[in-house]
Amino acid sequence: MAMRSYPLSRVYGLIEPGPVVLLSTSHKGRINTMPVSWHTMMEFEPLLVGCVVSGNDFSFKALKATGQCVLSIPTVELATQVTGCGNTHGDQVDKFQTFGLTPMKAEFVGAPLIAECYANLECRVFDKRFMNRYNFFVLEVVKAWLDPACKKPQTLHHQGNGVFMLAGGTIKLPSRMQ
């Protein structure tokens, strides 16, 4: 097999960590959401998720100020809304209204759930040590919601430059995890 050099600027698409999520915040009476695909599971108990939010994003300031957000997991049916949210700025556009997303009251955080997403995770900032240096937030999931009507969700996986892979097929292999 022959190997060839690959541009470092495109490596992201090779190792994307999981489905695109919509990170929602609420700050000073304004709700916002933005797509995030740089995230990772970190721990099971407490349930920790790490994610990178650019310091230039409207959501960064809200998440840093409030310490709360919701990670909503959209399916392929919301692909247009997800890319629309990613191509606009929250300080200029009401993304919920513009893209027809329905905010729902969360139980433990001030940020809204998104009704059209098949899963919603209420989160609080758990560790701030990497926030200022790397824009990396360690979040604790304090409540999870799932739409039982969504039986086989096809999630979006960002590969860069507007290209998304769809997930949804499964295989079952032996595992020691329960």
Side-chain angles (χ1 to χ4, degrees):
M1 178 163 123
M3 291 280 183
R4 65 179 178 170
S5 179
Y6 194 73
L8 294 178
S9 63
R10 295 179 54 198
V11 168
Y12 162 74
L14 299 175
I15 59 169
E16 67 83 22
V20 172
V21 299
L22 290 169
L23 182 144
S24 298
T25 56
S26 178
H27 183 52
K28 295 184 177 179
R30 178 121 188 226
I31 61 172
N32 187 51
T33 192
M34 66 171 283
V36 173
S37 51
W38 296 349
H39 54 78
T40 185
M41 284 295 306
M42 296 180 68
E43 187 57 79
F44 296 105
E45 287 189 34
L47 182 54
L48 301 180
V49 175
C51 72
V52 174
V53 179
S54 171
N56 297 322
D57 288 325
F58 185 70
S59 295
F60 179 89
K61 295 168 192 69
L63 181 55
K64 186 175 180 180
T66 65
Q68 301 178 355
C69 68
V70 171
L71 299 178
S72 302
I73 306 173
T75 58
V76 67
E77 291 81 11
L78 292 176
T80 300
Q81 292 92 326
V82 169
T83 56
C85 287
N87 290 325
T88 56
H89 296 281
D91 56 350
Q92 300 168 357
V93 173
D94 179 337
K95 295 181 188 182
F96 280 85
Q97 182 178 15
T98 300
F99 300 107
L101 299 173
T102 308
M104 293 177 54
K105 185 168 176 37
E107 188 172 331
F108 294 113
V109 301
L113 310 175
I114 299 177
E116 292 79 12
C117 289
Y118 95 93
N120 287 273
L121 310 174
E122 297 183 36
C123 301
R124 291 192 182 125
V125 174
F126 183 80
D127 188 334
K128 297 180 179 182
R129 287 180 283 180
F130 302 108
M131 184 174 56
N132 291 325
R133 186 167 184 179
Y134 299 109
N135 300 338
F136 187 82
F137 291 86
V138 178
L139 305 171
E140 179 180 9
V141 178
V142 296
K143 179 78 178 187
W145 302 91
L146 188 69
D147 180 355
C150 189
K151 299 294 184 201
K152 294 187 179 190
Q154 283 190 292
T155 54
L156 302 165
H157 297 256
H158 189 242
Q159 294 187 310
N161 299 321
V163 176
F164 294 83
M165 177 179 65
L166 298 179
T170 60
I171 61 172
K172 175 84 169 136
L173 300 171
S175 174
R176 292 185 353 187
M177 289 185 75
Q178 297 292 334

